[in-house]
Amino acid sequence: MSDELMTIRQMCDAFGVTPRTLRFYEARELIFPQRRGQHRLYDRRDRARLTLILRGKRFGFSLEQIRQLLELYEPGSRNETQIAATITIARERLADMERQYAELREAIADLAEQINDAETRLSDATHSKRSG
Amino acid sequence: MSDELMTIRQMCDAFGVTPRTLRFYEARELIFPQRRGQHRLYDRRDRARLTLILRGKRFGFSLEQIRQLLELYEPGSRNETQIAATITIARERLADMERQYAELREAIADLAEQINDAETRLSDATHSKRSG
DNA sequence: CCGAAAGTTGACGTTCACGTAATCGAAACG
DNA sequence: CGTTTCGATTACGTGAACGTCAACTTTCGG
C-alpha cells in the first residue's frame, strides 16, 4: 500500500480539496511535493502540512499567515534570527487565537440567548394563534 | 451630544471602518440608516447591528450569513415560518461556532507547544554557540 | 453668500483563493 | 496501437469585500 507517497488525486480525495487547490498551495510555497517525472507525489510531511493549512483556514488565517506559521513546524536548518522571527510571529498568532477563543465563548452564549428568545416568540405566536 | 444619531464619519471613527464599507453593508441590506436629505444618519440600532457585523466577520462568517443572523436580533413583525427558518439557520451557525470553539482550543494548545519546542531549539542553538 | 468640507452616487480597480477551460504529454487499458 | 484517462501548464474568469477615483450636491463656518 502506498502509505508513503500519494498522487494528487489521492490527496484530493483524502482531504476534500481540488487539484487546483494543491497546485495553488504549492505555488504559494505552502507544500513541496516531490516529482516523479512531471507528476507530483505527496508524502507524510506534505499531508501534515496540508492538515495544518486547512485548519488555519478554518480560523480565518490567510495563506501567507499560515505559510509563516508552517515554518515553526519545520525543524529545518535555519539560523537563530529566523527562528526568533518565526517565534515572534507565532506568538502574535497565538494571541489572536486566544482573543478569538474568548470572544467566541461570548458570541456563543449571546447567540444561544437570541435563539432562545426567538423560540419564545415563535412559541407565543403559535399559542396566540391557537387561542385567537 | 449626539447620543442618538451619528453621521457616517462619526460611525467610521467609532468603528474603524470606511464610508465605503458602511455603504457597502447598506447595499447588502445589513444596516438601514435613515436619511436627512441625502445624508445618512445612523442610530443605536444601526450601531448595534454594525457591532454584530464586525464580530461575525472576525469569526469568518460571510456578510450573507451575518445578514441572516441579524434577522434573529430583530423582533420585527415576521411570520412564524420566517422566524422558524431563521432559528434553523442560527442553530447551524451556533453549531459551527461550537465546533470552531473546540477546535480552536486544540489549535491553541498545539501552537503553544510548537512555540515551546522552537524556543528550546533556539535556546540550544544559543548555548551551543556559546560553548563552541 | 460663498467656498471648503463632508457626503452622495456610479463605476471601475484590487486582493485573495481558488474555478474553469484549453492545450498538451505521459500512461494505462482493451 | 489507438484512445481514454490522469496529470501538468498556462491563462483567463469569478465572488466576496471592499478601495479608489470622478463628478456632483449639500451643508456649514466665517
Side-chain angles (χ1 to χ4, degrees), chain A residues 112-128:
Chain A
E113 190 187 330
Q114 295 302 323
I115 290 176
N116 251 329
D117 290 358
E119 280 168 343
T120 301
R121 291 201 298 276
L122 184 59
S123 175
D124 288 355
T126 304
H127 293 340
S128 76

Side-chain angles (χ1 to χ4, degrees), chain A residues 50-113:
Chain A
L50 183 55
T51 299
L52 290 170
I53 293 167
L54 297 179
R55 185 166 81 177
K57 286 204 50 178
R58 285 196 291 279
F59 298 141
F61 290 148
S62 72
L63 292 184
E64 174 55 21
Q65 287 177 325
I66 293 170
R67 193 191 61 74
Q68 292 171 347
L69 276 185
L70 282 174
E71 291 181 15
L72 195 71
Y73 287 75
E74 289 296 312
S77 53
R78 290 166 35 257
N79 67 43
E80 297 165 35
T81 308
Q82 286 178 333
I83 294 176
T86 300
I87 289 176
T88 298
I89 290 173
R91 283 214 195 90
E92 289 170 15
R93 292 295 143 264
L94 183 59
D96 289 347
M97 289 164 78
E98 283 169 345
R99 271 191 294 275
Q100 193 176 351
Y101 186 70
E103 199 187 352
L104 195 46
R105 185 180 166 79
E106 287 181 46
I108 285 172
D110 194 289
L111 183 55
E113 190 187 330

Side-chain angles (χ1 to χ4, degrees), chain B residues 13-126:
Chain B
D13 293 347
F15 288 90
V17 298
T18 69
R20 179 69 178 92
T21 298
L22 292 180
R23 297 191 195 106
F24 185 75
Y25 290 168
E26 186 180 346
R28 293 304 197 78
E29 303 190 313
L30 293 170
I31 43 182
F32 312 96
Q34 350 169 348
R35 296 294 181 108
R36 178 172 57 191
Q38 273 300 66
H39 293 205
R40 291 168 172 83
L41 287 177
Y42 300 83
D43 61 14
R44 189 189 326 277
R45 175 167 156 276
D46 295 315
R47 293 194 288 273
R49 292 175 73 92
L50 183 54
T51 298
L52 290 170
I53 292 167
L54 297 179
R55 185 166 83 178
K57 285 205 51 175
R58 286 196 293 278
F59 299 140
F61 291 148
S62 72
L63 293 183
E64 174 55 22
Q65 288 177 325
I66 293 170
R67 193 192 60 75
Q68 291 172 348
L69 276 185
L70 282 173
E71 290 181 15
L72 195 71
Y73 288 74
E74 290 296 312
S77 52
R78 292 167 32 258
N79 66 43
E80 296 165 35
T81 308
Q82 286 177 333
I83 295 177
T86 300
I87 290 176
T88 298
I89 290 173
R91 285 216 193 90
E92 288 171 12
R93 293 293 142 265
L94 183 59
D96 288 347
M97 290 164 77
E98 283 168 344
R99 271 192 295 275
Q100 194 175 350
Y101 186 69
E103 198 187 352
L104 196 46
R105 185 181 167 77
E106 286 182 45
I108 286 172
D110 194 289
L111 183 55
E113 189 188 330
Q114 295 301 323
I115 291 178
N116 252 328
D117 290 358
E119 280 168 344
T120 301
R121 291 202 298 276
L122 185 59
S123 175
D124 289 354
T126 305

Side-chain angles (χ1 to χ4, degrees), chain A residues 24 26 32 35 43 52 84 97 117 119 130:
Chain A
F24 184 75
E26 187 180 346
F32 312 97
R35 295 295 180 108
D43 62 13
L52 290 170
M97 289 164 78
D117 290 358
E119 280 168 343
R130 201 171 295 167

